[in-house]
Amino acid sequence: MSNRYAVILAAGQGTRMKSKLYKVLHPVCGKAMVQHVVDQISKLNIQKTVTVIGHGAEKVKLELGNKTDYALQDKQLGTAHAVIQTEEILRDKEGVTIIVCGDTPLIRAETMEALFSHHEKLAAKATILTAKIEDPTGYGRIIRNENGLVEKIVEHKDATDAERKINEINTGTYCFDNQALFSALKQVSNDNVQGEYYLPDVIEIIKKQGEVVTAYQTDSFEETLGVNDRVALAEAERIMRNRINQNHMRNGVTIIDPANTYIESDVQIGQDTVVFPGSMVKGKTVIGSDCQIGPNSEIDGCEIGDETVIRQSVAHKSSIGSHVNIGPFAHIRPDSNISDEVKIGNFVELKKTVFGKGSKASHLSYIGDAEVGSNVNLGCGSITVNYDGKNKFLTKIEDDVFVGCNSNLVAPVTVGKGSYIAAGSTITKDVPGEALSIARARQVNKENYVQKLNVKK
Ligand code: UD1
Ligand code: MG
């Protein structure tokens, strides 16, 4: 096998997206398009990957980090001009260079590997990845001669009516003999409708040199979708979503309605977990086995144990144990750490809170900036009063505490182990362990008061 190199084209503005965000940074299933491409390329055996950046260069670099080298294209004069920017890094290399557009997020490593093999088997100088598609509008067309051999690529805008009828398209992915590529690039002109230096023109140039130019036609045309506008973006999202969901289902996850379940690319889910409709599972969430997620839940960046149930709820950047029951209608805000066997019931909000094993907040509570021990019962309407308008303070509730309904715990405050708080209390001072604390006005009953009122009338 020869040395392998990769170039990713990601310098364009993406005018057709009509967006402040640079095209290749638009996410598909939660991950930037260009990151999808880099992730797939990193599965291949590649010596060096160079990403061509221009518009939003710093942001693209921030997204991709040091997984690739970078070449800067100051002015976007076309895809051939973009590849020329990698000259300094790649010009002298011997081997095969794969070029992929940063706006084809669905391309898979397997397909690129097949392209490499085809290229090497035929000892070609250039091999185009092509696909036959129903509506080829906008794509470059593959022009073959009477013997069926590839002659050149014609861009949609430059094509004649007859050429536009051709439905075999250039997917924007190619393999080149590296040396042949860089010498051909020198001869590309910008004499076309768009006044750009087109990379596809090197095909005709290499062919005219009498070298072997081939095409590898993939039948998984979905992979080759080039995202140029938001309509294509939604299409890519739909295909990627399907692919992700099928992967989970093949690994033993039940998804009740895959068309209505939104799982981002980096999520992991254990066997026999069931995901109900309307659920979004995002970021680097890891869900254990035998869980029930949804319906209608949003989980972002959480780590969740086994046999946990989360119904109609929102959970962000938190850790949630096993045998936990959350919802319906709960909100777990970032930096919460929920232990095993906990119950967080309806209309309960947690924020930056450690919640110990077997503890419960079953109804209508706000628990923020708190450390709750194990086996604690927070009665309906328990509130941590954590904010004085300027600063946030900690509420500490030790093991085995029972907080009666509708209590305010004014932080900073500690409620000692095993103590009881009477319903309706506003606790402003620490409560010793094993105590009963009552902090509310004493009830006064005025007998026959109503009769007196009536007499006055
Ligand atoms: C390109 C191909 C077309 C192919 C299609 C597949 C050319 C001229 N046309 O068209 O044959 O069918 O992809 O999706 O190559 N870019 C740069 N610098 C530039 C211009 C573009 O880095 O100066 C990058 C863009 O960021 C993008 C990629 O190259 O990621 C492709 O550019 P785009 O404008 O999307 O080309 P298409 O019109 O889609
Ligand atoms: Mg494109």
Side-chain angles (χ1 to χ4, degrees), residues 16 23 101 103 226-228:
R16 290 164 281 182
K23 174 163 76 175
C101 294
D103 66 349
V227 175
N228 295 324

Side-chain angles (χ1 to χ4, degrees), residues 365-437:
S365 279
Y366 170 66
I367 313 295
D369 301 299
E371 282 174 34
V372 178
S374 60
N375 200 30
V376 168
N377 189 65
L378 298 175
C380 176
S382 300
I383 305 287
T384 55
V385 184
N386 61 329
Y387 186 46
D388 65 1
K390 272 190 182 152
N391 297 303
K392 304 266 167 79
F393 299 96
L394 180 76
T395 301
K396 216 172 162 185
I397 305 171
E398 295 180 355
D399 297 348
D400 307 318
V401 164
F402 183 96
V403 178
C405 291
N406 230 34
S407 298
N408 299 308
L409 305 172
V410 182
V413 73
T414 298
V415 183
K417 183 171 173 358
S419 61
Y420 277 68
I421 289 173
S425 292
T426 292
I427 301 294
T428 53
K429 289 185 279 195
D430 288 355
V431 177
E434 306 286 320
L436 165 65
S437 185

Side-chain angles (χ1 to χ4, degrees), residues 61-220:
K61 264 182 159 171
L62 207 65
E63 169 72 33
L64 299 179
N66 57 11
K67 282 191 215 161
T68 103
D69 286 33
Y70 297 96
L72 188 68
Q73 185 190 25
D74 271 332
K75 279 196 186 137
Q76 284 63 51
L77 303 180
T79 44
H81 180 258
V83 179
I84 291 174
Q85 311 311 308
T86 69
E87 208 171 2
E88 232 171 81
I89 307 175
L90 294 178
R91 179 77 183 92
D92 299 332
K93 309 282 188 209
E94 291 213 4
V96 181
T97 299
I98 189 169
I99 299 179
V100 189
C101 294
D103 66 349
T104 51
L106 298 163
I107 187 100
R108 288 181 318 136
E110 289 85 338
T111 303
M112 290 189 273
E113 188 62 54
L115 177 67
F116 266 121
S117 307
H118 186 88
H119 180 85
E120 283 163 1
K121 203 170 69 195
L122 297 184
K125 292 282 183 211
T127 305
I128 315 157
L129 180 68
T130 74
K132 279 204 165 148
I133 62 175
E134 232 163 76
D135 178 12
T137 309
Y139 289 97
R141 307 297 206 283
I142 306 297
I143 312 295
R144 292 175 183 267
N145 64 19
E146 59 278 8
N147 304 319
L149 297 172
V150 176
E151 283 287 311
K152 59 178 177 179
I153 298 170
V154 177
E155 287 306 297
H156 181 90
K157 286 183 182 157
D158 299 287
T160 63
D161 284 346
E163 286 167 338
R164 283 185 184 176
K165 291 211 174 75
I166 296 172
N167 69 345
E168 187 184 11
I169 57 112
N170 169 26
T171 66
T173 301
Y174 326 70
C175 275
F176 291 102
D177 171 85
N178 191 63
Q179 306 276 327
L181 170 66
F182 281 98
S183 34
L185 279 170
K186 293 223 158 19
Q187 301 174 43
V188 174
S189 84
N190 64 351
D191 178 19
N192 52 53
V193 173
Q194 303 192 76
E196 284 184 7
Y197 295 89
Y198 292 161
L199 176 61
D201 285 359
V202 301
I203 295 297
E204 192 180 6
I205 294 166
I206 295 175
K207 177 77 182 180
K208 282 195 171 147
Q209 291 166 351
E211 302 287 2
V212 181
V213 172
T214 65
Y216 173 72
Q217 200 185 89
T218 168
D219 42 3
S220 79

Side-chain angles (χ1 to χ4, degrees), residues 25-36 39 63 264-266:
L25 292 178
H26 274 265
V28 170
C29 292
K31 190 190 279 189
M33 288 201 260
V34 66
Q35 181 76 70
H36 279 288
D39 285 354
E63 169 72 33
E264 291 187 354
S265 328
D266 293 336

Side-chain angles (χ1 to χ4, degrees), residues 242-315:
N242 215 0
R243 199 189 274 176
I244 292 169
N245 286 348
Q246 286 191 3
N247 252 333
H248 287 295
M249 291 187 277
R250 290 208 175 86
N251 288 334
V253 176
T254 294
I255 299 178
I256 303 290
D257 182 5
N260 193 13
T261 302
Y262 308 83
I263 302 174
E264 291 187 354
S265 328
D266 293 336
V267 169
Q268 296 174 41
I269 309 179
Q271 270 186 21
D272 289 316
T273 284
V274 182
V275 185
F276 291 89
S279 296
M280 301 195 83
V281 190
K282 302 160 76 165
K284 298 218 184 309
T285 293
V286 180
I287 301 175
S289 50
D290 300 293
C291 293
Q292 288 180 43
I293 305 297
N296 303 322
S297 293
E298 179 189 311
I299 297 176
D300 188 359
C302 289
E303 201 168 301
I304 301 171
D306 302 327
E307 297 188 44
T308 282
V309 177
I310 301 181
R311 291 181 297 151
Q312 320 261 15
S313 292
V314 174

